[in-house]
Amino acid sequence: MAQPIIEARGLARTYRNGGRAIEAVRGVDLTVEAGGIFGFLGPNGAGKTTTINMLCTLVKPTGGSARVAGFDVVAEPHQVRQKIGLVFQDPSLDERLTAWENLAFHAMLYGVPRPVWKKRAADLLDLVALTPRRDDLVRGFSGGMKRRLEIARGLLHRPDLLFLDEPTLGLDPQTRNLIWDYILGLQKEHGLTLFLTTHYMEEAEHCHRIGIMSQGRLIALDTPEALKQGVGHDTVTIGVDDPDAAAERISRTYGVAVRRDGDQLAFPVRDGAAFLPRLIAENGLAIRRVAVRRPTLEDVFLSLTGSAIREDSPDHFATIKASTRRGGRR
Amino acid sequence: MRHALRRDLMGIYTIWLRDVRRFVRDRPRIIGSLVQPTLFLLVLGTGLGHGTFRAMAAGEGPDYMAFIFPGIVAMTILFTSAFSAISIIWDREVGFLKEVLVAPVSRWSVAVGKVLGGASVAVMQGCVMMLLAPVAGVGLSAPVVLTMLPIMFLVAFAMTAMGIAAAARMASMQGFTVIMNFVVLPIFFLSGAMFPLEGLPPWMTVLVHVDPLTYGVDALRGVVLGVADRPLAADCSALAGFGMMMLALAVWSFGARD
Ligand SMILES: Nc1ncnc2c1ncn2[C@@H]1O[C@H](COP(=O)(O)OP(=O)(O)O)[C@@H](O)[C@H]1O
Ligand SMILES: [Mg+2]
């Protein structure tokens, strides 16, 4: 039926930095159907922002092609721009204008008639709970308020597709939840397509479909459930008195790789619930705590990139965790 | 096609409006950027007018402070225009430029909007400076002011277009500070704003004639004081020609940037 809202074929971008070539995106094939929330996942530097910049016509691809909302991003940039809204990774408001003036500026640039945008802007400010601050300069806004205002602005011209690049980056957990409430509410209410990136794996659980980027390549594309099922194992975590000995024993008995974190051991097993009774009965280990975890998207990422990373770094789990958890802007 | 043109004209208007609105609101900036020209007019005007130039003017012609007054107005416009060009680098640094560049308006209309916005602001700043005319001993009649305005706009347009052309590709403020020192100040010094351009050594005469501001200062001086080196039409054509060239360059640099 309807054509896909995003269709990229071999999309690539290489930056020249002095003499060095940085292959930020190395040939991405991606189809996103209209409607729903598409999540673009990956650690810092994976090429998520560069991909968005190409899709939104800010950066020209050095290879491949892409159509967004039915228009070619290189040949028909104006048509693409009219159809999309953007919330950038870094703030892009005019801090010397008020919230309202920022919205007015946007509406005028997009050619939205005055009576139309005034009504919409008022509604959107309500939606993001900024009506009381409408005539205040943006300079005095908190990070969360700015982000909410940018979301409202991105919707003002009624785009078919809204890009949100790390919409919750650098915000405290409470604000992050609030932003997610808005995002989910929006999607339900307006039925538009949301395309968002995040490197918080747990946030990706909200998405209907997920693409995982690593080192400029799209390495997976599916629903979160299917991706997690694809991992094929649960993770068992136990707390023991003598972790070294226990780790040794478990890895010998069951032939699994055991990760140690303080007095905690974690290891993958096919069916965690069925495995636990065996573990307890067979080993005589002094187990203090035990937990079984179904695969998370973090496990998905690990299992997808693991083989490549494991070869050169046995400590890959810690590395990925650090890069996905911490990682400041860009 | 007509639709596209309408959209781009609206884009120009929107970008212009933002610059003007921000300027009008920013009282500290309006006052702050008057300090330097006022110092030049009052301190240099009094100090120099008192010795060197009095002897030179030898009684006839305008006195020194009146002589430099049109030049100081031109200087105000020059500095304000340069500042507007800086603001585009600032917009890039704080990310706002991206909001403009993903909007469905053409790159050329963004450049034109910035040039017209910066030029309008510079003319307004120049108008504020005209309030000092009585202090300089210059009487401004309504017809004189009305003739000055379009000339001031031409000067502002030429200078802002030049600034935007330079700033369009610049990624950092540092680069622009260098430009300020190596371009803006020489433009001011060589324009004849502060001294008559007669009997200069040949190398300097050449530079003076290359300097676009020279024509602006001469035109303003002709209108305000009735003394000029060239006919008004010649000055205005030079300014307009230079301005259009710079505008073309600004549009081109803006569009070429990825
Ligand atoms: N303008 C640029 N010039 C040079 N290199 C860039 C530029 N933008 C991004 N890169 C590089 O491209 C890679 C991908 O970056 P990015 O797309 O921002 O990743 P992500 O958004 O997934 O964190 C990184 O190595 C980054 O340093
Ligand atoms: Mg990014």
Side-chain angles (χ1 to χ4, degrees):
Chain A
M1 31 158 262
Q3 60 178 339
I5 190 108
I6 297 176
E7 213 173 1
R9 291 289 162 265
L11 197 62
R13 170 75 201 200
T14 304
Y15 289 108
R16 306 240 158 255
N17 214 341
R20 229 156 51 85
I22 301 167
E23 293 181 76
V25 177
R26 316 172 184 219
V28 164
D29 293 322
L30 176 65
T31 303
V32 177
E33 301 298 333
I37 304 179
F38 182 84
F40 215 36
L41 245 73
N44 273 322
K48 305 183 298 293
T49 298
T50 305
T51 305
I52 287 199
N53 283 344
M54 288 191 281
L55 294 176
C56 75
T57 77
L58 264 186
V59 164
K60 284 208 176 73
T62 49
S65 65
R67 296 184 79 78
V68 171
F71 298 104
D72 187 277
V73 293
V74 176
E76 302 158 302
H78 287 302
Q79 286 89 331
V80 172
R81 291 180 197 157
Q82 191 75 52
K83 296 278 182 196
I84 62 173
L86 268 143
V87 177
F88 295 100
Q89 179 169 339
D90 302 305
S92 66
L93 296 161
D94 187 340
E95 306 218 331
R96 287 157 181 273
L97 296 182
T98 64
W100 187 256
E101 287 167 341
N102 268 285
L103 294 177
F105 180 83
H106 183 89
M108 287 167 70
L109 270 191
Y110 282 78
V112 184
R114 196 180 177 80
V116 177
W117 72 252
K118 283 194 150 176
K119 166 98 180 58
R120 272 188 212 165
D123 291 349
L124 283 166
L125 278 183
D126 260 346
L127 174 74
V128 297
L130 281 176
T131 304
R133 306 297 299 266
R134 167 196 139 124
D135 295 317
D136 292 353
L137 290 185
V138 169
R139 203 177 346 189
F141 283 18
S142 70
M145 289 162 67
K146 285 182 195 168
R147 198 47 60 89
R148 269 145 55 201
L149 180 58
E150 291 187 292
I151 292 176
R153 184 181 68 178
L155 290 168
L156 196 52
H157 58 285
R158 290 273 159 90
D160 294 343
L161 169 64
L162 181 66
F163 289 101
L164 299 135
D165 198 359
E166 311 268 2
T168 56
L169 187 68
L171 302 179
D172 58 275
Q174 204 181 339
T175 314
R176 276 170 59 182
N177 288 338
L178 212 62
I179 299 263
W180 267 105
D181 286 345
Y182 291 127
I183 292 177
L184 296 172
L186 269 178
Q187 208 284 318
K188 238 183 236 139
E189 207 171 305
H190 295 254
L192 78 174
T193 314
L194 294 176
F195 184 111
L196 59 90
T197 74
T198 177
H199 61 248
Y200 297 112
M201 299 285 170
E202 67 273 16
E203 288 190 345
E205 305 279 354
H206 297 296
C207 303
H208 302 132
R209 264 174 88 76
I210 285 175
I212 297 183
M213 285 284 281
S214 169
Q215 301 179 10
R217 293 206 166 81
L218 188 67
I219 55 172
L221 181 64
D222 216 325
T223 62
E225 290 69 34
L227 286 172
K228 284 186 279 192
Q229 232 141 52
V231 171
H233 62 71
D234 299 339
T235 302
V236 172
T237 310
I238 57 173
V240 288
D241 282 339
D242 186 355
D244 283 327
E248 165 72 30
R249 176 107 143 254
I250 290 168
S251 99
R252 195 156 22 84
T253 322
Y254 304 107
V256 293
V258 181
R259 276 184 286 107
R260 184 174 157 198
D261 184 10
D263 67 343
Q264 297 235 60
L265 300 177
F267 51 94
V269 294
R270 190 151 296 280
D271 182 351
F275 173 80
L276 272 190
R278 266 176 68 201
L279 176 74
I280 292 163
E282 287 173 12
N283 281 286
L285 292 170
I287 297 176
R288 304 199 157 275
R289 293 181 301 281
V290 64
V292 179
R293 192 160 53 70
R294 303 281 305 145
T296 61
L297 285 167
E298 204 147 336
D299 298 318
V300 172
F301 188 77
L302 263 177
S303 76
L304 284 170
T305 57
S307 58
I309 298 171
R310 202 172 294 149
E311 275 147 28
D312 41 58
S313 142
D315 201 19
H316 69 274
F317 190 80
T319 325
I320 288 180
K321 224 173 167 136
S323 71
T324 51
R325 275 282 152 70
R326 234 176 286 126
R329 310 210 127 186
R330 217 170 343 173
Chain B
M1 223 55 246
R2 271 216 11 230
H3 173 74
L5 185 64
R6 247 189 78 147
R7 180 195 64 202
D8 286 335
L9 290 179
M10 188 66 186
I12 293 173
Y13 169 68
T14 307
I15 287 161
W16 173 86
L17 184 65
R18 164 176 177 252
D19 272 10
V20 170
R21 183 171 281 172
R22 278 171 47 132
F23 171 77
V24 172
R25 174 170 305 161
D26 200 349
R27 298 257 157 69
R29 176 181 158 198
I30 300 180
I31 293 164
S33 49
L34 287 178
V35 170
Q36 213 168 3
T38 309
L39 275 178
F40 269 81
L41 183 67
L42 295 187
V43 178
L44 279 188
T46 311
L48 290 177
H50 177 86
T52 337
F53 288 92
R54 162 128 326 160
M56 213 190 69
E60 54 173 294
D63 88 353
Y64 184 63
M65 220 193 261
F67 174 81
I68 62 171
F69 175 74
I72 296 296
V73 172
M75 170 200 186
T76 311
I77 294 173
L78 170 69
F79 285 8
T80 314
S81 299
F83 191 88
S84 293
I86 289 186
S87 79
I88 215 173
I89 303 179
W90 182 246
D91 281 347
R92 171 170 298 127
E93 225 154 74
V94 301
F96 183 75
L97 198 60
K98 277 193 286 191
E99 149 81 355
V100 178
L101 295 183
V102 288
V105 295
S106 305
R107 295 280 189 271
W108 70 263
S109 63
V110 176
V112 172
K114 275 314 267 193
V115 170
L116 291 181
S120 305
V121 165
V123 170
M124 288 193 266
Q125 190 75 266
C127 287
V128 179
M129 206 56 213
M130 287 205 294
L131 295 177
L132 286 185
V135 181
V138 173
L140 294 179
S141 64
V144 167
V145 172
L146 286 180
T147 322
M148 279 175 86
L149 283 177
I151 301 172
M152 285 163 69
F153 183 80
L154 271 182
V155 175
F157 171 74
M159 294 302 131
T160 312
M162 184 178 68
I164 301 284
R169 280 151 177 274
M170 220 158 271
S172 79
M173 294 299 225
Q174 280 98 337
F176 206 83
T177 324
V178 173
I179 294 228
M180 270 305 263
N181 290 325
F182 282 85
V183 181
V184 175
L185 285 182
I187 283 183
F188 169 58
F189 289 144
L190 289 167
S191 68
M194 302 300 290
F195 49 81
L197 298 173
E198 290 137 26
L200 297 173
W203 65 269
M204 201 164 154
T205 306
V206 171
L207 290 179
V208 159
H209 283 94
V210 172
D211 182 347
L213 195 62
T214 302
Y215 304 93
V217 170
D218 191 52
L220 287 175
R221 196 170 278 146
V223 172
V224 176
L225 303 175
V227 286
D229 296 341
R230 276 170 300 277
L232 185 58
D235 282 330
C236 289
S237 318
L239 280 173
F242 178 80
M244 291 311 287
M245 237 164 59
M246 285 299 139
L247 180 67
L249 192 64
V251 166
W252 177 77
S253 332
F254 227 86
R257 206 172 185 284
D258 191 6

